[in-house]
Amino acid sequence: MKTSICIAVASLLVGAAVMPAAAKGPVVNHAISESEVLAAQQAWCKALVDISTTNTASGPVAAKALAEKVIDAAYGYQMGAVLFKPTLTTTPQTFRTTREGALAYFVGGNPAYPKDTGFALKGWTQCEIANAAVFIAGDSANTMGNVMFTDKAGKVTTVDKTWAFVKDDAGKLRIVVHHSSLPFTGN
């Protein structure tokens, strides 16, 4: 009888080990998908063109208001410093770890950033992304490639761009690293 009880207990234990455990509370999953990353990149491009179009149609005050909304929706400044190195910046203001610095870069007009003329105000009509690669590791994603900006005269400016994304507590993808530079020309 002892043997049959031991076998019964052992089979229960083995069966219990194989059965999946049920969650007792909410499951938080901050995993990022490729489609989320691509959508965030496309939204960034659309927003840049929208800021430029708004500036042309309604002026710099309206463009600044839209840029503030875009920065608040796309970047992770509410989470802390964002590692933002815009394309056309120089020392000592090369890096824009604050929302104020990002806003100055996009729309200018901030005396603390006197060299900023507003990258998003340059009359962009189109923005396209060509990723060299997308690297997703659970709750973070990184991209590297080119972004091509077309101005109202049809001239295309290509930049090298690296982004890193994480999800905030609400599950919204946020840019936490944004590095942009002009391609090396060999000179």
Side-chain angles (χ1 to χ4, degrees):
M1 174 129 178
K2 284 185 182 178
T3 305
S4 60
I5 292 175
C6 288
I7 292 172
V9 170
S11 65
L12 284 175
L13 291 176
V14 170
V18 175
M19 294 179 63
K24 295 195 184 241
V27 175
V28 177
N29 181 356
H30 286 287
I32 297 173
S33 69
E34 180 184 8
S35 62
E36 287 175 305
V37 172
L38 299 178
Q41 289 180 312
Q42 290 304 315
W44 186 92
C45 268
K46 181 182 180 321
L48 183 78
V49 171
D50 288 349
I51 294 166
S52 210
T53 303
T54 298
N55 182 58
T56 301
S58 304
V61 172
K64 180 180 179 182
L66 178 56
E68 287 178 309
K69 289 177 185 175
V70 167
I71 289 168
D72 291 343
Y75 289 85
Y77 287 107
Q78 71 281 12
M79 299 166 69
V82 171
L83 309 179
F84 181 20
K85 190 281 177 195
T87 311
L88 304 174
T89 56
T90 59
T91 56
Q93 297 176 322
T94 301
F95 304 104
R96 306 303 175 91
T97 59
T98 66
R99 179 184 182 273
E100 175 189 33
L103 183 62
Y105 181 73
F106 283 118
V107 296
N110 184 332
Y113 298 87
K115 294 181 181 179
D116 287 353
T117 59
F119 180 77
L121 308 182
K122 303 285 185 207
W124 305 119
T125 60
Q126 189 172 343
C127 176
E128 297 176 87
I129 296 167
N131 287 316
V134 176
F135 181 89
I136 300 171
D139 64 355
S140 67
N142 300 282
T143 66
M144 179 181 285
N146 295 118
V147 177
M148 290 73 64
F149 304 99
T150 305
D151 68 16
K152 56 189 167 201
K155 180 181 176 220
V156 176
T157 301
T158 300
V159 300
D160 297 336
K161 192 168 297 286
T162 301
W163 276 307
F165 301 91
V166 298
K167 284 188 178 176
D168 63 16
D169 289 340
K172 169 115 172 77
L173 218 55
R174 299 289 181 168
I175 299 167
V176 293
V177 175
H178 174 163
H179 181 276
S180 186
S181 58
L182 293 172
F184 180 67
T185 60
N187 297 327

PDB file of all heavy atoms in Angstrom, residues 151-167:
ATOM      1  N   ASP A 151      12.340  68.303 -49.813  1.00  0.00           N
ATOM      2  CA  ASP A 151      11.841  69.654 -49.569  1.00  0.00           C
ATOM      3  C   ASP A 151      10.890  70.077 -50.689  1.00  0.00           C
ATOM      4  O   ASP A 151      10.677  69.339 -51.654  1.00  0.00           O
ATOM      5  CB  ASP A 151      12.987  70.656 -49.369  1.00  0.00           C
ATOM      6  CG  ASP A 151      13.820  70.915 -50.618  1.00  0.00           C
ATOM      7  OD1 ASP A 151      13.383  70.573 -51.741  1.00  0.00           O
ATOM      8  OD2 ASP A 151      14.918  71.484 -50.476  1.00  0.00           O
ATOM      9  N   LYS A 152      10.321  71.281 -50.567  1.00  0.00           N
ATOM     10  CA  LYS A 152       9.304  71.731 -51.524  1.00  0.00           C
ATOM     11  C   LYS A 152       9.858  71.910 -52.939  1.00  0.00           C
ATOM     12  O   LYS A 152       9.108  71.895 -53.903  1.00  0.00           O
ATOM     13  CB  LYS A 152       8.630  73.010 -51.029  1.00  0.00           C
ATOM     14  CG  LYS A 152       9.565  74.141 -50.732  1.00  0.00           C
ATOM     15  CD  LYS A 152       8.846  75.279 -50.039  1.00  0.00           C
ATOM     16  CE  LYS A 152       9.880  76.248 -49.487  1.00  0.00           C
ATOM     17  NZ  LYS A 152       9.358  77.069 -48.446  1.00  0.00           N
ATOM     18  N   ALA A 153      11.185  72.035 -53.091  1.00  0.00           N
ATOM     19  CA  ALA A 153      11.800  72.141 -54.420  1.00  0.00           C
ATOM     20  C   ALA A 153      12.127  70.763 -54.997  1.00  0.00           C
ATOM     21  O   ALA A 153      12.624  70.655 -56.111  1.00  0.00           O
ATOM     22  CB  ALA A 153      13.066  72.985 -54.341  1.00  0.00           C
ATOM     23  N   GLY A 154      11.869  69.701 -54.219  1.00  0.00           N
ATOM     24  CA  GLY A 154      12.139  68.352 -54.691  1.00  0.00           C
ATOM     25  C   GLY A 154      13.529  67.837 -54.342  1.00  0.00           C
ATOM     26  O   GLY A 154      13.886  66.721 -54.695  1.00  0.00           O
ATOM     27  N   LYS A 155      14.323  68.649 -53.653  1.00  0.00           N
ATOM     28  CA  LYS A 155      15.672  68.234 -53.255  1.00  0.00           C
ATOM     29  C   LYS A 155      15.567  67.242 -52.093  1.00  0.00           C
ATOM     30  O   LYS A 155      14.837  67.476 -51.133  1.00  0.00           O
ATOM     31  CB  LYS A 155      16.498  69.442 -52.834  1.00  0.00           C
ATOM     32  CG  LYS A 155      17.909  69.073 -52.415  1.00  0.00           C
ATOM     33  CD  LYS A 155      18.707  70.284 -51.975  1.00  0.00           C
ATOM     34  CE  LYS A 155      20.062  69.811 -51.490  1.00  0.00           C
ATOM     35  NZ  LYS A 155      20.491  70.526 -50.309  1.00  0.00           N
ATOM     36  N   VAL A 156      16.315  66.146 -52.186  1.00  0.00           N
ATOM     37  CA  VAL A 156      16.302  65.113 -51.156  1.00  0.00           C
ATOM     38  C   VAL A 156      17.564  65.227 -50.309  1.00  0.00           C
ATOM     39  O   VAL A 156      18.678  65.289 -50.846  1.00  0.00           O
ATOM     40  CB  VAL A 156      16.202  63.709 -51.781  1.00  0.00           C
ATOM     41  CG1 VAL A 156      16.281  62.633 -50.705  1.00  0.00           C
ATOM     42  CG2 VAL A 156      14.917  63.578 -52.589  1.00  0.00           C
ATOM     43  N   THR A 157      17.374  65.253 -49.011  1.00  0.00           N
ATOM     44  CA  THR A 157      18.474  65.219 -48.050  1.00  0.00           C
ATOM     45  C   THR A 157      18.406  63.880 -47.332  1.00  0.00           C
ATOM     46  O   THR A 157      17.368  63.529 -46.771  1.00  0.00           O
ATOM     47  CB  THR A 157      18.363  66.370 -47.025  1.00  0.00           C
ATOM     48  OG1 THR A 157      18.379  67.618 -47.721  1.00  0.00           O
ATOM     49  CG2 THR A 157      19.487  66.318 -46.008  1.00  0.00           C
ATOM     50  N   THR A 158      19.505  63.136 -47.365  1.00  0.00           N
ATOM     51  CA  THR A 158      19.560  61.830 -46.722  1.00  0.00           C
ATOM     52  C   THR A 158      20.419  61.921 -45.469  1.00  0.00           C
ATOM     53  O   THR A 158      21.506  62.505 -45.500  1.00  0.00           O
ATOM     54  CB  THR A 158      20.153  60.777 -47.680  1.00  0.00           C
ATOM     55  OG1 THR A 158      19.317  60.695 -48.832  1.00  0.00           O
ATOM     56  CG2 THR A 158      20.252  59.415 -47.019  1.00  0.00           C
ATOM     57  N   VAL A 159      19.911  61.362 -44.376  1.00  0.00           N
ATOM     58  CA  VAL A 159      20.678  61.311 -43.132  1.00  0.00           C
ATOM     59  C   VAL A 159      20.787  59.864 -42.660  1.00  0.00           C
ATOM     60  O   VAL A 159      19.944  59.027 -42.981  1.00  0.00           O
ATOM     61  CB  VAL A 159      20.053  62.189 -42.010  1.00  0.00           C
ATOM     62  CG1 VAL A 159      19.985  63.643 -42.437  1.00  0.00           C
ATOM     63  CG2 VAL A 159      18.691  61.686 -41.602  1.00  0.00           C
ATOM     64  N   ASP A 160      21.854  59.588 -41.935  1.00  0.00           N
ATOM     65  CA  ASP A 160      22.011  58.313 -41.246  1.00  0.00           C
ATOM     66  C   ASP A 160      21.298  58.453 -39.910  1.00  0.00           C
ATOM     67  O   ASP A 160      21.521  59.437 -39.203  1.00  0.00           O
ATOM     68  CB  ASP A 160      23.484  57.995 -40.999  1.00  0.00           C
ATOM     69  CG  ASP A 160      24.288  57.840 -42.283  1.00  0.00           C
ATOM     70  OD1 ASP A 160      23.698  57.527 -43.332  1.00  0.00           O
ATOM     71  OD2 ASP A 160      25.514  58.044 -42.233  1.00  0.00           O
ATOM     72  N   LYS A 161      20.455  57.483 -39.563  1.00  0.00           N
ATOM     73  CA  LYS A 161      19.675  57.618 -38.337  1.00  0.00           C
ATOM     74  C   LYS A 161      19.644  56.317 -37.570  1.00  0.00           C
ATOM     75  O   LYS A 161      19.458  55.241 -38.137  1.00  0.00           O
ATOM     76  CB  LYS A 161      18.251  58.077 -38.654  1.00  0.00           C
ATOM     77  CG  LYS A 161      17.494  58.508 -37.401  1.00  0.00           C
ATOM     78  CD  LYS A 161      16.210  59.224 -37.703  1.00  0.00           C
ATOM     79  CE  LYS A 161      16.320  60.518 -38.445  1.00  0.00           C
ATOM     80  NZ  LYS A 161      16.810  61.643 -37.674  1.00  0.00           N
ATOM     81  N   THR A 162      19.816  56.435 -36.259  1.00  0.00           N
ATOM     82  CA  THR A 162      19.674  55.326 -35.327  1.00  0.00           C
ATOM     83  C   THR A 162      18.648  55.724 -34.285  1.00  0.00           C
ATOM     84  O   THR A 162      18.733  56.814 -33.720  1.00  0.00           O
ATOM     85  CB  THR A 162      21.017  55.007 -34.626  1.00  0.00           C
ATOM     86  OG1 THR A 162      21.982  54.687 -35.622  1.00  0.00           O
ATOM     87  CG2 THR A 162      20.873  53.863 -33.649  1.00  0.00           C
ATOM     88  N   TRP A 163      17.677  54.843 -34.064  1.00  0.00           N
ATOM     89  CA  TRP A 163      16.673  55.058 -33.027  1.00  0.00           C
ATOM     90  C   TRP A 163      16.682  53.872 -32.077  1.00  0.00           C
ATOM     91  O   TRP A 163      16.914  52.734 -32.490  1.00  0.00           O
ATOM     92  CB  TRP A 163      15.269  55.130 -33.620  1.00  0.00           C
ATOM     93  CG  TRP A 163      14.819  56.447 -34.162  1.00  0.00           C
ATOM     94  CD1 TRP A 163      14.828  57.636 -33.530  1.00  0.00           C
ATOM     95  CD2 TRP A 163      14.227  56.692 -35.443  1.00  0.00           C
ATOM     96  NE1 TRP A 163      14.281  58.607 -34.345  1.00  0.00           N
ATOM     97  CE2 TRP A 163      13.917  58.047 -35.524  1.00  0.00           C
ATOM     98  CE3 TRP A 163      13.935  55.866 -36.534  1.00  0.00           C
ATOM     99  CZ2 TRP A 163      13.317  58.626 -36.631  1.00  0.00           C
ATOM    100  CZ3 TRP A 163      13.350  56.441 -37.650  1.00  0.00           C
ATOM    101  CH2 TRP A 163      13.044  57.809 -37.688  1.00  0.00           C
ATOM    102  N   ALA A 164      16.383  54.133 -30.810  1.00  0.00           N
ATOM    103  CA  ALA A 164      16.092  53.067 -29.845  1.00  0.00           C
ATOM    104  C   ALA A 164      14.731  53.383 -29.247  1.00  0.00           C
ATOM    105  O   ALA A 164      14.424  54.546 -28.936  1.00  0.00           O
ATOM    106  CB  ALA A 164      17.144  52.993 -28.749  1.00  0.00           C
ATOM    107  N   PHE A 165      13.922  52.339 -29.108  1.00  0.00           N
ATOM    108  CA  PHE A 165      12.564  52.470 -28.599  1.00  0.00           C
ATOM    109  C   PHE A 165      12.375  51.577 -27.373  1.00  0.00           C
ATOM    110  O   PHE A 165      12.916  50.477 -27.317  1.00  0.00           O
ATOM    111  CB  PHE A 165      11.542  52.015 -29.650  1.00  0.00           C
ATOM    112  CG  PHE A 165      11.584  52.774 -30.940  1.00  0.00           C
ATOM    113  CD1 PHE A 165      12.387  52.347 -31.991  1.00  0.00           C
ATOM    114  CD2 PHE A 165      10.808  53.900 -31.130  1.00  0.00           C
ATOM    115  CE1 PHE A 165      12.409  53.023 -33.201  1.00  0.00           C
ATOM    116  CE2 PHE A 165      10.826  54.593 -32.330  1.00  0.00           C
ATOM    117  CZ  PHE A 165      11.629  54.149 -33.372  1.00  0.00           C
ATOM    118  N   VAL A 166      11.583  52.056 -26.434  1.00  0.00           N
ATOM    119  CA  VAL A 166      11.091  51.251 -25.317  1.00  0.00           C
ATOM    120  C   VAL A 166       9.622  51.601 -25.149  1.00  0.00           C
ATOM    121  O   VAL A 166       9.145  52.594 -25.698  1.00  0.00           O
ATOM    122  CB  VAL A 166      11.858  51.490 -23.990  1.00  0.00           C
ATOM    123  CG1 VAL A 166      13.323  51.122 -24.121  1.00  0.00           C
ATOM    124  CG2 VAL A 166      11.699  52.918 -23.509  1.00  0.00           C
ATOM    125  N   LYS A 167       8.911  50.785 -24.385  1.00  0.00           N
ATOM    126  CA  LYS A 167       7.514  51.096 -24.089  1.00  0.00           C
ATOM    127  C   LYS A 167       7.419  51.770 -22.729  1.00  0.00           C
ATOM    128  O   LYS A 167       8.117  51.393 -21.785  1.00  0.00           O
ATOM    129  CB  LYS A 167       6.661  49.827 -24.101  1.00  0.00           C
ATOM    130  CG  LYS A 167       6.370  49.322 -25.489  1.00  0.00           C
ATOM    131  CD  LYS A 167       5.371  48.190 -25.478  1.00  0.00           C
ATOM    132  CE  LYS A 167       5.072  47.747 -26.891  1.00  0.00           C
ATOM    133  NZ  LYS A 167       4.170  46.578 -26.897  1.00  0.00           N
TER     134      LYS A 167
END
